[in-house]
Amino acid sequence: MSWMLRSLSARFSRNRTQPQQKNQSQDASFDTKKFVQCKVLLLDGAHLNIVVPRNAIGSELHEEVFYSLDLEERDYFGLQFTDQFNVQHWLDPCKKVAKQVAIGPPFTLRFRVKFFTSEPSSNLKEELTRYQFFLQIKQDISSGRLQCPHPLGIELAALALQSELGDYNPEQHTALFISEFRFHPEQDEKMEIEILEKYKACRGQTPAQAELNYLNKARWIEMYGVDMHIVEGKDGNTYRLGLTPQGMLVFDGPQKIGLFLWEKLQKLDFKNKKITLVVEEDADQSNNGQIQLHTFVFHLTSEKAAKHFWKCAIEQHAFFRLKSRPVQPNRKMQFFRLGSTFKYRGRTEYETIHKEGARLSRRQSCSFERRPSQRYGPRQSHVTNAQMRDAKRQEMRQQILEQQRANEQQQQQQRSHAQSDPLPPLPPVSNLPIPSSPNLKKPLINNNNPFIGDPSIPSSSSSSSPSHVTKITVGTIGGGTSETSPSSSYIPRPVVSGSSSFSHPPPLPAHQSSSKIPRMSSSTDPRKYSQPPQPAVRMQNHFDDSRKFSQNGCAIPSRIVPPMQHQRRIVTDF
């Protein structure tokens, strides 16, 4: 009885909304009894309104969407819808659209990436396909479905800005402008400033290069390409099962506790809300070299959720593990078959990449338009901080101007003071008197030196010399005058005198010339010798001393001339 009441109420509700539906059908200009409208939400935020026959199957709607997007690598994508139990399903290409989608018409579906390749740079041939992958990962990170670390999220956000905005422009691209985008669920003011700094370093990359770099970085995220499902174990705890190209991951909260590889999975079945997994264990010493099978049972929230998980696991295993699509069984053989007849009917990844029949068309390039991202209101904290920074800059400028004015005023005061009270002129500097020779200090007398005599004692060497001058005549060997007093010392070199006039002896003959200066000695007075000055010159042994010094009566020189210890000026001209 209750079902009759529900059907009548539904009929009455249809009659109430009938005028509105007629208006929609007139606007759409198609017959609602023969055609249905499907609304497909794309990854860039746009949507497609596609009209298909009411009896159309899922493959026809797929073809319409792929044709509108001009996609060639189609096996990575699919159409997803949500049923009345809030369970998400992939549109089966072999079943009618009207029977699969319960909510509508118009039927609302979402265009999404179904299989995430592990090598996007090599497996994805076209730029348009990489762009759709880029939009999908960007959407998953911003919504929190794909958990991304904070440092990597900053780099990915900077690449996303480079793809959409181009090179950094300091006049336009500020932290306030960056806050209008949404890249990460934990995005805050500090993160936006860091994104802006990273964005500056991405200069020079084209949109295609930035998107490819984005995919190469995003594929290293731990949960990249993992289709997550929430299940309940036998112990009553909640677990998560993730479907990947390698196998099935098991998570206990954020911690990964197991991995069931596809080649080790012997059985995967569902019944009502229960999922049964039979996993093979390798033979080792612990099990006596025998292969053991382990059974795992999980429960889901509903039967629809269990069937959806089972279908996703079948498709993941077939697409990534098989080299060719499974053979379609005969429908007559399936007449008395119990259970689900679902099979993966698309091409595998191996066929998409390697086989010639699955390669792309011969088109050289694909032109498409990139749509801008959705914008939000700017962050007010950036506005406040910008105002505070502007106020501080204005205050600093004002202080600098005031300081300059104060310095100028001080300089003007100094100039006016200097003009009103000039300094007196300095007195002229007269020439200092030069002291005469009698006022000079008398030289010290060293009686130990036989070459320096007392000025008070008259010298007997020459009658024309003054009594206060000690005259030392330096002559050449064998030359000069022979009239020498026994008290005077004769040095065979030029004349050295305290007076201003000098006399030079005649030059030696060529056979008697020598570059060596002989040492001096006195034949009358004993001399005290000190250390020789530098450099010291010694006599050569091969000289004929008797021949060189016998003429002047000098002894054979074997001493070193001591330093002069008086202040008398002696000028020697060699």
Side-chain angles (χ1 to χ4, degrees), residues 40-44 46 48 50 62-72 74 77 79 111-112 126 128-129 131-132 363 366-368:
V40 181
L41 304 178
L42 301 180
L43 292 172
D44 57 0
L48 295 175
I50 301 176
H62 278 94
E63 290 296 328
E64 291 289 339
V65 174
F66 293 145
Y67 178 78
S68 300
L69 296 177
D70 197 16
L71 270 176
E72 289 289 339
R74 304 178 177 182
F77 303 95
L79 296 176
F111 176 77
R112 290 182 55 86
E126 284 197 333
L128 177 59
T129 309
Y131 175 65
Q132 297 296 333
R363 64 181 181 183
C366 176
S367 61
F368 62 95

PDB file of all heavy atoms in Angstrom, residues 40-44 46 48 50 62-72 74 77 79 111-112 126 128-129 131-132 363 366-368:
ATOM      1  N   VAL A  40      27.825  17.791 -18.592  1.00  0.00           N
ATOM      2  CA  VAL A  40      29.141  17.249 -18.263  1.00  0.00           C
ATOM      3  C   VAL A  40      29.999  18.393 -17.736  1.00  0.00           C
ATOM      4  O   VAL A  40      30.223  19.389 -18.452  1.00  0.00           O
ATOM      5  CB  VAL A  40      29.799  16.593 -19.482  1.00  0.00           C
ATOM      6  CG1 VAL A  40      31.167  16.023 -19.110  1.00  0.00           C
ATOM      7  CG2 VAL A  40      28.897  15.502 -20.054  1.00  0.00           C
ATOM      8  N   LEU A  41      30.468  18.253 -16.494  1.00  0.00           N
ATOM      9  CA  LEU A  41      31.349  19.258 -15.870  1.00  0.00           C
ATOM     10  C   LEU A  41      32.796  18.932 -16.224  1.00  0.00           C
ATOM     11  O   LEU A  41      33.282  17.827 -15.932  1.00  0.00           O
ATOM     12  CB  LEU A  41      31.157  19.265 -14.351  1.00  0.00           C
ATOM     13  CG  LEU A  41      29.719  19.489 -13.867  1.00  0.00           C
ATOM     14  CD1 LEU A  41      29.666  19.417 -12.340  1.00  0.00           C
ATOM     15  CD2 LEU A  41      29.168  20.808 -14.362  1.00  0.00           C
ATOM     16  N   LEU A  42      33.481  19.895 -16.836  1.00  0.00           N
ATOM     17  CA  LEU A  42      34.855  19.680 -17.272  1.00  0.00           C
ATOM     18  C   LEU A  42      35.827  20.087 -16.171  1.00  0.00           C
ATOM     19  O   LEU A  42      35.459  20.718 -15.175  1.00  0.00           O
ATOM     20  CB  LEU A  42      35.122  20.485 -18.542  1.00  0.00           C
ATOM     21  CG  LEU A  42      34.210  20.157 -19.729  1.00  0.00           C
ATOM     22  CD1 LEU A  42      34.570  21.028 -20.922  1.00  0.00           C
ATOM     23  CD2 LEU A  42      34.273  18.683 -20.083  1.00  0.00           C
ATOM     24  N   LEU A  43      37.099  19.759 -16.381  1.00  0.00           N
ATOM     25  CA  LEU A  43      38.122  20.013 -15.366  1.00  0.00           C
ATOM     26  C   LEU A  43      38.518  21.482 -15.277  1.00  0.00           C
ATOM     27  O   LEU A  43      39.024  21.920 -14.241  1.00  0.00           O
ATOM     28  CB  LEU A  43      39.373  19.175 -15.673  1.00  0.00           C
ATOM     29  CG  LEU A  43      39.197  17.662 -15.512  1.00  0.00           C
ATOM     30  CD1 LEU A  43      40.430  16.928 -16.024  1.00  0.00           C
ATOM     31  CD2 LEU A  43      38.946  17.294 -14.067  1.00  0.00           C
ATOM     32  N   ASP A  44      38.300  22.258 -16.328  1.00  0.00           N
ATOM     33  CA  ASP A  44      38.663  23.672 -16.310  1.00  0.00           C
ATOM     34  C   ASP A  44      37.549  24.572 -15.788  1.00  0.00           C
ATOM     35  O   ASP A  44      37.676  25.798 -15.846  1.00  0.00           O
ATOM     36  CB  ASP A  44      39.090  24.126 -17.701  1.00  0.00           C
ATOM     37  CG  ASP A  44      38.014  23.884 -18.750  1.00  0.00           C
ATOM     38  OD1 ASP A  44      36.933  23.369 -18.387  1.00  0.00           O
ATOM     39  OD2 ASP A  44      38.253  24.216 -19.928  1.00  0.00           O
ATOM     40  N   ALA A  46      34.388  24.682 -16.982  1.00  0.00           N
ATOM     41  CA  ALA A  46      33.300  24.815 -17.949  1.00  0.00           C
ATOM     42  C   ALA A  46      32.432  23.564 -17.925  1.00  0.00           C
ATOM     43  O   ALA A  46      32.733  22.580 -17.229  1.00  0.00           O
ATOM     44  CB  ALA A  46      33.877  25.053 -19.337  1.00  0.00           C
ATOM     45  N   LEU A  48      29.573  21.096 -20.535  1.00  0.00           N
ATOM     46  CA  LEU A  48      29.021  20.776 -21.847  1.00  0.00           C
ATOM     47  C   LEU A  48      27.587  20.300 -21.685  1.00  0.00           C
ATOM     48  O   LEU A  48      27.290  19.468 -20.818  1.00  0.00           O
ATOM     49  CB  LEU A  48      29.850  19.687 -22.530  1.00  0.00           C
ATOM     50  CG  LEU A  48      31.311  20.021 -22.897  1.00  0.00           C
ATOM     51  CD1 LEU A  48      31.982  18.772 -23.443  1.00  0.00           C
ATOM     52  CD2 LEU A  48      31.365  21.149 -23.903  1.00  0.00           C
ATOM     53  N   ILE A  50      25.010  18.208 -23.614  1.00  0.00           N
ATOM     54  CA  ILE A  50      24.968  17.236 -24.715  1.00  0.00           C
ATOM     55  C   ILE A  50      23.601  16.551 -24.689  1.00  0.00           C
ATOM     56  O   ILE A  50      23.141  16.094 -23.632  1.00  0.00           O
ATOM     57  CB  ILE A  50      26.091  16.206 -24.587  1.00  0.00           C
ATOM     58  CG1 ILE A  50      27.452  16.916 -24.600  1.00  0.00           C
ATOM     59  CG2 ILE A  50      26.025  15.179 -25.713  1.00  0.00           C
ATOM     60  CD1 ILE A  50      28.620  15.983 -24.369  1.00  0.00           C
ATOM     61  N   HIS A  62      30.422   9.088 -24.207  1.00  0.00           N
ATOM     62  CA  HIS A  62      31.876   9.242 -24.175  1.00  0.00           C
ATOM     63  C   HIS A  62      32.399   9.831 -25.483  1.00  0.00           C
ATOM     64  O   HIS A  62      33.256  10.734 -25.471  1.00  0.00           O
ATOM     65  CB  HIS A  62      32.537   7.887 -23.912  1.00  0.00           C
ATOM     66  CG  HIS A  62      32.571   7.491 -22.477  1.00  0.00           C
ATOM     67  ND1 HIS A  62      31.610   6.708 -21.902  1.00  0.00           N
ATOM     68  CD2 HIS A  62      33.459   7.774 -21.486  1.00  0.00           C
ATOM     69  CE1 HIS A  62      31.892   6.504 -20.617  1.00  0.00           C
ATOM     70  NE2 HIS A  62      33.018   7.147 -20.337  1.00  0.00           N
ATOM     71  N   GLU A  63      31.901   9.336 -26.586  1.00  0.00           N
ATOM     72  CA  GLU A  63      32.367   9.827 -27.883  1.00  0.00           C
ATOM     73  C   GLU A  63      32.025  11.298 -28.078  1.00  0.00           C
ATOM     74  O   GLU A  63      32.827  12.063 -28.631  1.00  0.00           O
ATOM     75  CB  GLU A  63      31.745   8.984 -29.004  1.00  0.00           C
ATOM     76  CG  GLU A  63      32.272   7.559 -29.096  1.00  0.00           C
ATOM     77  CD  GLU A  63      33.745   7.526 -29.451  1.00  0.00           C
ATOM     78  OE1 GLU A  63      34.209   8.423 -30.191  1.00  0.00           O
ATOM     79  OE2 GLU A  63      34.427   6.593 -29.008  1.00  0.00           O
ATOM     80  N   GLU A  64      30.837  11.696 -27.632  1.00  0.00           N
ATOM     81  CA  GLU A  64      30.463  13.101 -27.767  1.00  0.00           C
ATOM     82  C   GLU A  64      31.386  14.012 -26.942  1.00  0.00           C
ATOM     83  O   GLU A  64      31.803  15.080 -27.406  1.00  0.00           O
ATOM     84  CB  GLU A  64      29.011  13.290 -27.310  1.00  0.00           C
ATOM     85  CG  GLU A  64      27.977  12.669 -28.232  1.00  0.00           C
ATOM     86  CD  GLU A  64      27.839  13.418 -29.545  1.00  0.00           C
ATOM     87  OE1 GLU A  64      28.229  14.602 -29.585  1.00  0.00           O
ATOM     88  OE2 GLU A  64      27.366  12.814 -30.518  1.00  0.00           O
ATOM     89  N   VAL A  65      31.719  13.578 -25.745  1.00  0.00           N
ATOM     90  CA  VAL A  65      32.599  14.395 -24.894  1.00  0.00           C
ATOM     91  C   VAL A  65      34.006  14.446 -25.473  1.00  0.00           C
ATOM     92  O   VAL A  65      34.626  15.527 -25.562  1.00  0.00           O
ATOM     93  CB  VAL A  65      32.604  13.843 -23.460  1.00  0.00           C
ATOM     94  CG1 VAL A  65      33.633  14.595 -22.604  1.00  0.00           C
ATOM     95  CG2 VAL A  65      31.227  13.944 -22.841  1.00  0.00           C
ATOM     96  N   PHE A  66      34.537  13.318 -25.899  1.00  0.00           N
ATOM     97  CA  PHE A  66      35.892  13.300 -26.447  1.00  0.00           C
ATOM     98  C   PHE A  66      35.973  14.098 -27.751  1.00  0.00           C
ATOM     99  O   PHE A  66      36.992  14.744 -28.027  1.00  0.00           O
ATOM    100  CB  PHE A  66      36.342  11.860 -26.686  1.00  0.00           C
ATOM    101  CG  PHE A  66      36.511  11.064 -25.415  1.00  0.00           C
ATOM    102  CD1 PHE A  66      36.205   9.705 -25.379  1.00  0.00           C
ATOM    103  CD2 PHE A  66      36.975  11.666 -24.273  1.00  0.00           C
ATOM    104  CE1 PHE A  66      36.371   8.979 -24.220  1.00  0.00           C
ATOM    105  CE2 PHE A  66      37.138  10.945 -23.105  1.00  0.00           C
ATOM    106  CZ  PHE A  66      36.833   9.599 -23.080  1.00  0.00           C
ATOM    107  N   TYR A  67      34.917  14.068 -28.534  1.00  0.00           N
ATOM    108  CA  TYR A  67      34.904  14.843 -29.771  1.00  0.00           C
ATOM    109  C   TYR A  67      34.867  16.343 -29.477  1.00  0.00           C
ATOM    110  O   TYR A  67      35.523  17.138 -30.166  1.00  0.00           O
ATOM    111  CB  TYR A  67      33.691  14.439 -30.609  1.00  0.00           C
ATOM    112  CG  TYR A  67      33.567  15.212 -31.897  1.00  0.00           C
ATOM    113  CD1 TYR A  67      34.354  14.900 -32.996  1.00  0.00           C
ATOM    114  CD2 TYR A  67      32.655  16.267 -32.000  1.00  0.00           C
ATOM    115  CE1 TYR A  67      34.246  15.622 -34.182  1.00  0.00           C
ATOM    116  CE2 TYR A  67      32.536  16.996 -33.178  1.00  0.00           C
ATOM    117  CZ  TYR A  67      33.332  16.667 -34.255  1.00  0.00           C
ATOM    118  OH  TYR A  67      33.231  17.376 -35.427  1.00  0.00           O
ATOM    119  N   SER A  68      34.105  16.739 -28.457  1.00  0.00           N
ATOM    120  CA  SER A  68      34.035  18.162 -28.103  1.00  0.00           C
ATOM    121  C   SER A  68      35.370  18.670 -27.575  1.00  0.00           C
ATOM    122  O   SER A  68      35.757  19.813 -27.836  1.00  0.00           O
ATOM    123  CB  SER A  68      32.939  18.390 -27.055  1.00  0.00           C
ATOM    124  OG  SER A  68      31.670  17.978 -27.554  1.00  0.00           O
ATOM    125  N   LEU A  69      36.097  17.823 -26.827  1.00  0.00           N
ATOM    126  CA  LEU A  69      37.398  18.218 -26.282  1.00  0.00           C
ATOM    127  C   LEU A  69      38.552  17.980 -27.240  1.00  0.00           C
ATOM    128  O   LEU A  69      39.672  18.434 -26.971  1.00  0.00           O
ATOM    129  CB  LEU A  69      37.670  17.463 -24.977  1.00  0.00           C
ATOM    130  CG  LEU A  69      36.720  17.739 -23.817  1.00  0.00           C
ATOM    131  CD1 LEU A  69      37.071  16.856 -22.626  1.00  0.00           C
ATOM    132  CD2 LEU A  69      36.795  19.206 -23.417  1.00  0.00           C
ATOM    133  N   ASP A  70      38.296  17.261 -28.335  1.00  0.00           N
ATOM    134  CA  ASP A  70      39.329  16.930 -29.319  1.00  0.00           C
ATOM    135  C   ASP A  70      40.439  16.104 -28.679  1.00  0.00           C
ATOM    136  O   ASP A  70      41.635  16.333 -28.903  1.00  0.00           O
ATOM    137  CB  ASP A  70      39.893  18.202 -29.943  1.00  0.00           C
ATOM    138  CG  ASP A  70      40.648  17.911 -31.235  1.00  0.00           C
ATOM    139  OD1 ASP A  70      40.472  16.800 -31.774  1.00  0.00           O
ATOM    140  OD2 ASP A  70      41.427  18.773 -31.682  1.00  0.00           O
ATOM    141  N   LEU A  71      40.067  15.105 -27.892  1.00  0.00           N
ATOM    142  CA  LEU A  71      41.022  14.226 -27.220  1.00  0.00           C
ATOM    143  C   LEU A  71      41.280  12.991 -28.064  1.00  0.00           C
ATOM    144  O   LEU A  71      40.347  12.396 -28.631  1.00  0.00           O
ATOM    145  CB  LEU A  71      40.482  13.802 -25.854  1.00  0.00           C
ATOM    146  CG  LEU A  71      40.830  14.687 -24.658  1.00  0.00           C
ATOM    147  CD1 LEU A  71      40.134  14.165 -23.421  1.00  0.00           C
ATOM    148  CD2 LEU A  71      42.326  14.742 -24.433  1.00  0.00           C
ATOM    149  N   GLU A  72      42.545  12.579 -28.128  1.00  0.00           N
ATOM    150  CA  GLU A  72      42.938  11.354 -28.813  1.00  0.00           C
ATOM    151  C   GLU A  72      43.305  10.245 -27.828  1.00  0.00           C
ATOM    152  O   GLU A  72      42.973   9.083 -28.059  1.00  0.00           O
ATOM    153  CB  GLU A  72      44.118  11.640 -29.743  1.00  0.00           C
ATOM    154  CG  GLU A  72      43.761  12.461 -30.966  1.00  0.00           C
ATOM    155  CD  GLU A  72      42.937  11.685 -31.977  1.00  0.00           C
ATOM    156  OE1 GLU A  72      42.972  10.438 -31.931  1.00  0.00           O
ATOM    157  OE2 GLU A  72      42.253  12.317 -32.798  1.00  0.00           O
ATOM    158  N   ARG A  74      42.206   8.703 -25.096  1.00  0.00           N
ATOM    159  CA  ARG A  74      40.929   8.696 -24.389  1.00  0.00           C
ATOM    160  C   ARG A  74      40.848   7.663 -23.282  1.00  0.00           C
ATOM    161  O   ARG A  74      39.964   7.750 -22.424  1.00  0.00           O
ATOM    162  CB  ARG A  74      39.790   8.436 -25.389  1.00  0.00           C
ATOM    163  CG  ARG A  74      39.769   9.427 -26.535  1.00  0.00           C
ATOM    164  CD  ARG A  74      38.675   9.102 -27.519  1.00  0.00           C
ATOM    165  NE  ARG A  74      38.606  10.097 -28.603  1.00  0.00           N
ATOM    166  CZ  ARG A  74      37.707  10.071 -29.579  1.00  0.00           C
ATOM    167  NH1 ARG A  74      36.808   9.085 -29.630  1.00  0.00           N
ATOM    168  NH2 ARG A  74      37.711  11.001 -30.513  1.00  0.00           N
ATOM    169  N   PHE A  77      40.682   8.551 -19.380  1.00  0.00           N
ATOM    170  CA  PHE A  77      39.623   9.399 -18.832  1.00  0.00           C
ATOM    171  C   PHE A  77      38.307   8.626 -18.768  1.00  0.00           C
ATOM    172  O   PHE A  77      38.130   7.573 -19.395  1.00  0.00           O
ATOM    173  CB  PHE A  77      39.438  10.645 -19.703  1.00  0.00           C
ATOM    174  CG  PHE A  77      40.697  11.453 -19.864  1.00  0.00           C
ATOM    175  CD1 PHE A  77      41.529  11.264 -20.971  1.00  0.00           C
ATOM    176  CD2 PHE A  77      41.069  12.382 -18.915  1.00  0.00           C
ATOM    177  CE1 PHE A  77      42.687  11.991 -21.125  1.00  0.00           C
ATOM    178  CE2 PHE A  77      42.230  13.123 -19.055  1.00  0.00           C
ATOM    179  CZ  PHE A  77      43.035  12.926 -20.161  1.00  0.00           C
ATOM    180  N   LEU A  79      33.800   9.212 -17.269  1.00  0.00           N
ATOM    181  CA  LEU A  79      32.710  10.055 -16.781  1.00  0.00           C
ATOM    182  C   LEU A  79      32.198   9.473 -15.474  1.00  0.00           C
ATOM    183  O   LEU A  79      31.906   8.266 -15.390  1.00  0.00           O
ATOM    184  CB  LEU A  79      31.586  10.123 -17.812  1.00  0.00           C
ATOM    185  CG  LEU A  79      31.943  10.792 -19.145  1.00  0.00           C
ATOM    186  CD1 LEU A  79      30.760  10.698 -20.116  1.00  0.00           C
ATOM    187  CD2 LEU A  79      32.356  12.229 -18.940  1.00  0.00           C
ATOM    188  N   PHE A 111      33.678  14.935 -15.864  1.00  0.00           N
ATOM    189  CA  PHE A 111      34.781  14.416 -16.670  1.00  0.00           C
ATOM    190  C   PHE A 111      36.037  14.403 -15.806  1.00  0.00           C
ATOM    191  O   PHE A 111      36.479  15.444 -15.306  1.00  0.00           O
ATOM    192  CB  PHE A 111      34.974  15.298 -17.906  1.00  0.00           C
ATOM    193  CG  PHE A 111      36.140  14.896 -18.752  1.00  0.00           C
ATOM    194  CD1 PHE A 111      36.065  13.798 -19.594  1.00  0.00           C
ATOM    195  CD2 PHE A 111      37.324  15.618 -18.724  1.00  0.00           C
ATOM    196  CE1 PHE A 111      37.135  13.430 -20.381  1.00  0.00           C
ATOM    197  CE2 PHE A 111      38.407  15.257 -19.504  1.00  0.00           C
ATOM    198  CZ  PHE A 111      38.311  14.155 -20.331  1.00  0.00           C
ATOM    199  N   ARG A 112      36.657  13.223 -15.627  1.00  0.00           N
ATOM    200  CA  ARG A 112      37.780  13.072 -14.728  1.00  0.00           C
ATOM    201  C   ARG A 112      38.820  12.129 -15.326  1.00  0.00           C
ATOM    202  O   ARG A 112      38.551  11.385 -16.274  1.00  0.00           O
ATOM    203  CB  ARG A 112      37.332  12.493 -13.374  1.00  0.00           C
ATOM    204  CG  ARG A 112      36.500  13.436 -12.527  1.00  0.00           C
ATOM    205  CD  ARG A 112      36.159  12.780 -11.188  1.00  0.00           C
ATOM    206  NE  ARG A 112      37.353  12.330 -10.506  1.00  0.00           N
ATOM    207  CZ  ARG A 112      38.108  13.096  -9.711  1.00  0.00           C
ATOM    208  NH1 ARG A 112      37.771  14.357  -9.495  1.00  0.00           N
ATOM    209  NH2 ARG A 112      39.176  12.602  -9.124  1.00  0.00           N
ATOM    210  N   GLU A 126      50.428  13.882 -26.158  1.00  0.00           N
ATOM    211  CA  GLU A 126      49.891  15.168 -26.595  1.00  0.00           C
ATOM    212  C   GLU A 126      49.860  16.173 -25.454  1.00  0.00           C
ATOM    213  O   GLU A 126      49.688  15.809 -24.279  1.00  0.00           O
ATOM    214  CB  GLU A 126      48.479  15.010 -27.160  1.00  0.00           C
ATOM    215  CG  GLU A 126      48.459  14.405 -28.544  1.00  0.00           C
ATOM    216  CD  GLU A 126      47.131  14.632 -29.231  1.00  0.00           C
ATOM    217  OE1 GLU A 126      46.117  14.776 -28.534  1.00  0.00           O
ATOM    218  OE2 GLU A 126      47.110  14.660 -30.464  1.00  0.00           O
ATOM    219  N   LEU A 128      47.528  18.419 -24.994  1.00  0.00           N
ATOM    220  CA  LEU A 128      46.171  18.525 -24.455  1.00  0.00           C
ATOM    221  C   LEU A 128      45.919  17.479 -23.375  1.00  0.00           C
ATOM    222  O   LEU A 128      45.271  17.770 -22.363  1.00  0.00           O
ATOM    223  CB  LEU A 128      45.157  18.367 -25.595  1.00  0.00           C
ATOM    224  CG  LEU A 128      43.681  18.386 -25.209  1.00  0.00           C
ATOM    225  CD1 LEU A 128      43.319  19.682 -24.510  1.00  0.00           C
ATOM    226  CD2 LEU A 128      42.800  18.174 -26.436  1.00  0.00           C
ATOM    227  N   THR A 129      46.444  16.276 -23.564  1.00  0.00           N
ATOM    228  CA  THR A 129      46.280  15.229 -22.543  1.00  0.00           C
ATOM    229  C   THR A 129      47.010  15.605 -21.259  1.00  0.00           C
ATOM    230  O   THR A 129      46.482  15.436 -20.157  1.00  0.00           O
ATOM    231  CB  THR A 129      46.816  13.895 -23.078  1.00  0.00           C
ATOM    232  OG1 THR A 129      46.246  13.637 -24.361  1.00  0.00           O
ATOM    233  CG2 THR A 129      46.463  12.763 -22.136  1.00  0.00           C
ATOM    234  N   TYR A 131      47.631  18.590 -20.291  1.00  0.00           N
ATOM    235  CA  TYR A 131      46.899  19.715 -19.689  1.00  0.00           C
ATOM    236  C   TYR A 131      45.718  19.222 -18.852  1.00  0.00           C
ATOM    237  O   TYR A 131      45.457  19.738 -17.755  1.00  0.00           O
ATOM    238  CB  TYR A 131      46.416  20.648 -20.801  1.00  0.00           C
ATOM    239  CG  TYR A 131      45.539  21.776 -20.320  1.00  0.00           C
ATOM    240  CD1 TYR A 131      46.038  22.763 -19.474  1.00  0.00           C
ATOM    241  CD2 TYR A 131      44.206  21.864 -20.719  1.00  0.00           C
ATOM    242  CE1 TYR A 131      45.234  23.809 -19.033  1.00  0.00           C
ATOM    243  CE2 TYR A 131      43.400  22.897 -20.293  1.00  0.00           C
ATOM    244  CZ  TYR A 131      43.918  23.863 -19.450  1.00  0.00           C
ATOM    245  OH  TYR A 131      43.121  24.888 -19.004  1.00  0.00           O
ATOM    246  N   GLN A 132      45.013  18.191 -19.326  1.00  0.00           N
ATOM    247  CA  GLN A 132      43.896  17.632 -18.552  1.00  0.00           C
ATOM    248  C   GLN A 132      44.397  16.949 -17.277  1.00  0.00           C
ATOM    249  O   GLN A 132      43.772  17.073 -16.218  1.00  0.00           O
ATOM    250  CB  GLN A 132      43.116  16.630 -19.418  1.00  0.00           C
ATOM    251  CG  GLN A 132      42.465  17.235 -20.652  1.00  0.00           C
ATOM    252  CD  GLN A 132      41.400  18.252 -20.322  1.00  0.00           C
ATOM    253  OE1 GLN A 132      40.765  18.204 -19.268  1.00  0.00           O
ATOM    254  NE2 GLN A 132      41.192  19.203 -21.232  1.00  0.00           N
ATOM    255  N   ARG A 363      48.013  13.814 -36.813  1.00  0.00           N
ATOM    256  CA  ARG A 363      48.007  15.275 -36.704  1.00  0.00           C
ATOM    257  C   ARG A 363      49.296  15.746 -36.031  1.00  0.00           C
ATOM    258  O   ARG A 363      49.786  15.167 -35.063  1.00  0.00           O
ATOM    259  CB  ARG A 363      46.783  15.764 -35.944  1.00  0.00           C
ATOM    260  CG  ARG A 363      46.697  15.321 -34.497  1.00  0.00           C
ATOM    261  CD  ARG A 363      45.445  15.850 -33.857  1.00  0.00           C
ATOM    262  NE  ARG A 363      45.334  15.454 -32.451  1.00  0.00           N
ATOM    263  CZ  ARG A 363      44.297  15.749 -31.673  1.00  0.00           C
ATOM    264  NH1 ARG A 363      43.289  16.429 -32.180  1.00  0.00           N
ATOM    265  NH2 ARG A 363      44.261  15.359 -30.417  1.00  0.00           N
ATOM    266  N   CYS A 366      48.007  20.208 -31.862  1.00  0.00           N
ATOM    267  CA  CYS A 366      46.641  20.316 -31.348  1.00  0.00           C
ATOM    268  C   CYS A 366      46.515  21.685 -30.691  1.00  0.00           C
ATOM    269  O   CYS A 366      47.225  21.986 -29.720  1.00  0.00           O
ATOM    270  CB  CYS A 366      46.349  19.202 -30.354  1.00  0.00           C
ATOM    271  SG  CYS A 366      44.715  19.325 -29.582  1.00  0.00           S
ATOM    272  N   SER A 367      45.657  22.518 -31.214  1.00  0.00           N
ATOM    273  CA  SER A 367      45.447  23.856 -30.671  1.00  0.00           C
ATOM    274  C   SER A 367      44.217  23.849 -29.774  1.00  0.00           C
ATOM    275  O   SER A 367      43.164  23.317 -30.145  1.00  0.00           O
ATOM    276  CB  SER A 367      45.275  24.867 -31.808  1.00  0.00           C
ATOM    277  OG  SER A 367      44.156  24.543 -32.597  1.00  0.00           O
ATOM    278  N   PHE A 368      44.377  24.427 -28.609  1.00  0.00           N
ATOM    279  CA  PHE A 368      43.273  24.516 -27.663  1.00  0.00           C
ATOM    280  C   PHE A 368      43.471  25.764 -26.820  1.00  0.00           C
ATOM    281  O   PHE A 368      44.534  26.379 -26.826  1.00  0.00           O
ATOM    282  CB  PHE A 368      43.188  23.271 -26.770  1.00  0.00           C
ATOM    283  CG  PHE A 368      44.402  23.053 -25.919  1.00  0.00           C
ATOM    284  CD1 PHE A 368      44.456  23.519 -24.608  1.00  0.00           C
ATOM    285  CD2 PHE A 368      45.506  22.383 -26.413  1.00  0.00           C
ATOM    286  CE1 PHE A 368      45.577  23.327 -23.821  1.00  0.00           C
ATOM    287  CE2 PHE A 368      46.630  22.181 -25.635  1.00  0.00           C
ATOM    288  CZ  PHE A 368      46.661  22.655 -24.336  1.00  0.00           C
TER     289      PHE A 368
END
